[in-house]
Amino acid sequence: MDVRIFDTTLRDGEQTPGVSLTPDQKLRMAIKLDELGVDVIEAGSAITSKGERQGIKNIVSEGLNAEICSFARAVKVDIDAALDCGVDSVHLVVPTSDLHIKYKLRKTREDVKQFAIDSTEYAVDHGLLVELSAEDSTRTDFGFLKEVFQAGIDAGAKRICACDTVGMLTPEKAYKFYGDLTELGVPLSAHCHNDFGLAVANTLAGLRAGASQAHVTVNGIGERAGNASLEELVVALYSLYNVKTNVKVGMLYEMSKSVARMTGIYLQPNKAIVGENAFAHESGIHADGVIKKAETYEPITPELVGHKRRFVLGKHVGSHIIRERIKEMGLRVDDVRFDQIFSRIKALGDMGKCVTDVDLQAIADDVMGILPEKPVELEELTIVSGNKVTPTASVKLKIEDVGKLEAGVGVGPVDAAIVAIKKTMKDVVDIELEEYHVDAITGGTDALIDVVVKLRNGDRIVSARSTQPDIIMASVEAVLSGINKILSDKKIREAKNPEF
């Protein structure tokens, strides 16, 4: 079977606490979702606000391939707002559980069924495709749930959707629940929430039982614990069930990063499929196996979803990874020196330290008796910051014995200093700050500050650290250490391949 993907990132996903997208952000995200290949984009709830309607109109006017849908309650005013936006369909939602009917709506079952009939007929009469959705359907009397759906189908609904609104299903219950609803004979959607961490599993069970469409969000964002994750569901269907969707799986990591940036909801590192640790290996046994044959410790290749494999240096690291990294640095070490490097890395790991690329370079250089090369050095740093003062930094760097001076502004003094450094380096190397992490190692106002950064240069990511009592100086030194590592590696590659 083929499965349709109904993406509700722009509606249910935007209901994540703290997330509010502008019309422009919604349009950019919708264009990416359409490029990704989802079948339906729920662009929002048109009744919400003037800005929401403008955002939906912008998406509709783009002429995307996906069906554009608006969420609507079973009331005329919501449907009119959707019609005003020019959408293709409405996701028409009626609460069906006695809990919702009694305490939220304060109506009767017959009232709810009539709302479903009247609103469906009104929407269909005005040219909209209706997907009739039952809110809190998994806590609804099943006989009444089927009555509401059948009444909606008779009124012209082309699809039905059963919402596990507070994530009460288990995979076993989901299989029976959605299987029984397929008897109504129209396309059925599974809409599962993740309150117990089962949204993807329950959606898969619903699809196995005969549902033909899955409601999902990118990164699984949404209210409370979120919704079924688009990337997890699609890759599980592709890899474990051999079931097709129209989604381009090679774009999933890129899509995930884009949504994280626009919403400000960043992923935990161990997030399946798209997390930064999804294809990261530290254990020596695992890393050695992956180097020899990736399938030993990876169920899918990172390239399948547009991700990258990486190896982490820590106390579990194996000798194979260290040897590979040292080779990449252009160094040749005998067994005695290698053992010294390896034991020092293990010692740092035992102290609870993460070993960055710059740490490894420094350890190797020290063991080899090589003076570390610093193409870029800090000569002057001036910071101006305070109440009602825009944080400003002036940075003077010596780049290959040539002095360059630039200034930058930012949301804080550290941000301003990094902006100034990037401006100074713009004609030398293109860098982007991927991650910035700070810890106070000791207590008190004079605490030592440990700053770890990750810098991106093209498809290469370099990590670096600096520990200082001054957070600004620690941040600047960490960034400059990373830049020097990038430039040194570039020289090594160019020496090996003059046409690089």
Side-chain angles (χ1 to χ4, degrees):
M1 67 170 180
D2 290 350
V3 170
R4 283 167 52 89
I5 298 298
F6 181 113
D7 183 89
T8 182
T9 305
L10 299 180
R11 198 275 301 174
D12 225 343
E14 195 191 14
Q15 290 174 201
T16 302
V19 174
S20 182
L21 300 170
T22 66
D24 181 60
Q25 286 176 318
K26 281 204 165 193
L27 177 60
R28 285 158 52 200
M29 208 179 288
I31 291 170
K32 293 274 299 178
L33 286 167
D34 191 59
E35 185 184 349
L36 182 68
V38 303
D39 299 284
V40 184
I41 297 172
E42 189 171 30
S45 177
I47 196 62
T48 301
S49 67
K50 183 179 178 180
E52 182 84 340
R53 286 188 288 280
Q54 187 57 55
I56 297 172
K57 287 177 182 178
N58 292 347
I59 293 169
V60 169
S61 66
E62 195 67 24
L64 303 177
N65 292 317
E67 174 189 316
I68 308 302
C69 179
S70 173
F71 176 93
R73 296 168 300 172
V75 291
K76 183 174 178 290
V77 65
D78 281 32
I79 298 167
D80 286 340
L83 285 165
D84 181 56
C85 294
V87 296
D88 303 306
S89 62
V90 282
H91 177 208
L92 194 60
V93 180
V94 289
T96 54
S97 69
D98 289 335
L99 182 68
H100 279 231
I101 293 170
K102 180 178 179 180
Y103 292 102
K104 189 174 83 169
L105 296 182
R106 299 185 179 180
K107 300 291 183 181
T108 66
R109 286 187 177 185
E110 283 306 310
D111 290 332
V112 167
K113 187 160 73 169
Q114 196 60 49
F115 293 155
I117 294 168
D118 293 345
S119 56
T120 298
E121 287 179 345
Y122 183 77
V124 171
D125 287 346
H126 286 78
L128 290 170
L129 184 152
V130 172
E131 178 162 332
L132 181 62
S133 196
E135 184 181 12
D136 205 26
S137 63
T138 53
R139 293 190 293 184
T140 298
D141 173 76
F142 194 73
F144 176 63
L145 179 66
K146 290 184 78 171
E147 275 183 44
V148 172
F149 278 142
Q150 188 61 61
I153 293 165
D154 293 342
K158 296 298 182 187
R159 299 193 298 255
I160 58 172
C161 173
C163 299
D164 187 22
T165 301
V166 290
M168 298 294 288
L169 286 175
T170 64
E172 297 82 6
K173 289 177 182 176
Y175 185 82
K176 176 167 175 46
F177 176 74
Y178 285 107
D180 288 345
L181 287 176
T182 60
E183 294 172 6
L184 292 168
V186 294
L188 169 66
S189 295
H191 180 114
C192 298
H193 282 260
N194 205 39
D195 296 80
F196 291 90
L198 295 171
V200 170
N202 289 336
T203 304
L204 287 168
L207 293 169
R208 283 187 59 241
S212 55
Q213 183 169 263
H215 284 211
V216 295
T217 60
V218 176
N219 297 337
I221 62 174
E223 294 182 84
R224 304 182 314 279
N227 292 46
S229 160
L230 182 152
E231 56 284 347
E232 292 176 22
L233 182 82
V234 166
V235 174
L237 287 171
Y238 178 91
S239 298
L240 304 178
Y241 292 91
N242 195 28
V243 170
K244 294 178 181 177
T245 68
N246 290 322
V247 171
K248 299 177 181 70
V249 291
M251 281 185 61
L252 287 172
Y253 179 66
E254 175 192 343
M255 187 76 231
S256 167
K257 296 284 279 187
S258 179
V259 169
R261 282 193 302 269
M262 279 194 257
T263 60
I265 305 297
Y266 291 94
L267 303 180
Q268 74 269 26
N270 64 327
K271 172 76 166 64
I273 310 300
V274 291
E276 289 307 306
N277 286 354
F279 300 96
H281 307 275
E282 180 184 326
S283 160
I285 295 170
H286 284 216
D288 180 49
V290 169
I291 288 172
K292 291 172 178 173
K293 185 73 170 172
E295 289 91 330
T296 52
Y297 291 103
E298 288 178 351
I300 58 172
T301 66
E303 292 80 12
L304 175 69
V305 295
H307 211 330
K308 289 186 181 298
R309 180 181 298 112
R310 66 188 181 94
F311 297 101
V312 179
L313 306 183
K315 71 178 181 180
H316 304 106
V317 72
S319 60
H320 287 78
I321 297 303
I322 303 301
R323 286 190 187 277
E324 286 296 319
R325 286 289 182 90
I326 290 172
K327 279 183 186 177
E328 289 172 11
M329 293 176 188
L331 299 176
R332 293 183 180 180
V333 298
D334 57 29
D335 289 342
V336 173
R337 285 177 172 168
F338 176 79
D339 288 343
Q340 292 174 358
I341 294 169
F342 189 59
S343 61
R344 284 175 65 170
I345 289 168
K346 288 281 191 178
L348 280 174
D350 284 336
M351 292 165 62
K353 301 277 188 182
C354 69
V355 182
T356 68
D357 299 297
V358 174
D359 293 332
L360 177 59
Q361 181 84 56
I363 291 168
D365 288 347
D366 186 45
V367 169
M368 298 288 290
I370 300 169
L371 184 66
E373 184 182 11
K374 288 189 176 181
V376 180
E377 293 189 68
L378 178 66
E379 291 201 318
E380 293 177 19
L381 171 64
T382 305
I383 300 288
V384 179
S385 186
N387 187 33
K388 296 183 180 179
V389 175
T390 301
T392 306
S394 172
V395 173
K396 185 178 181 182
L397 301 179
K398 187 166 75 172
I399 305 171
E400 303 286 4
D401 296 324
V402 177
K404 288 189 71 175
L405 178 67
E406 285 285 358
V409 296
V411 295
V414 170
D415 186 42
I418 293 173
V419 168
I421 290 170
K422 287 179 66 177
K423 287 173 70 175
T424 311
M425 299 301 302
K426 68 180 180 180
D427 296 328
V428 180
V429 63
D430 180 34
I431 60 160
E432 290 296 329
L433 183 65
E434 285 280 302
E435 287 185 31
Y436 175 87
H437 185 78
V438 60
D439 280 316
I441 298 174
T442 56
T445 56
D446 60 347
L448 276 176
I449 304 298
D450 188 46
V451 174
V452 177
V453 299
K454 288 185 181 179
L455 303 180
R456 178 182 289 277
N457 172 237
D459 61 358
R460 176 150 172 70
I461 295 178
V462 163
S463 54
R465 163 193 280 119
S466 179
T467 304
Q468 300 249 3
D470 184 325
I471 188 172
I472 300 171
M473 283 304 301
S475 302
V476 167
E477 285 208 355
V479 170
L480 291 179
S481 292
I483 289 171
N484 280 323
K485 172 67 176 161
I486 288 168
L487 292 174
S488 297
D489 288 352
K490 188 178 179 183
K491 276 190 175 182
I492 290 169
R493 292 197 301 272
E494 287 173 347
K496 288 180 178 178
N497 182 6
E499 294 181 2
F500 182 85

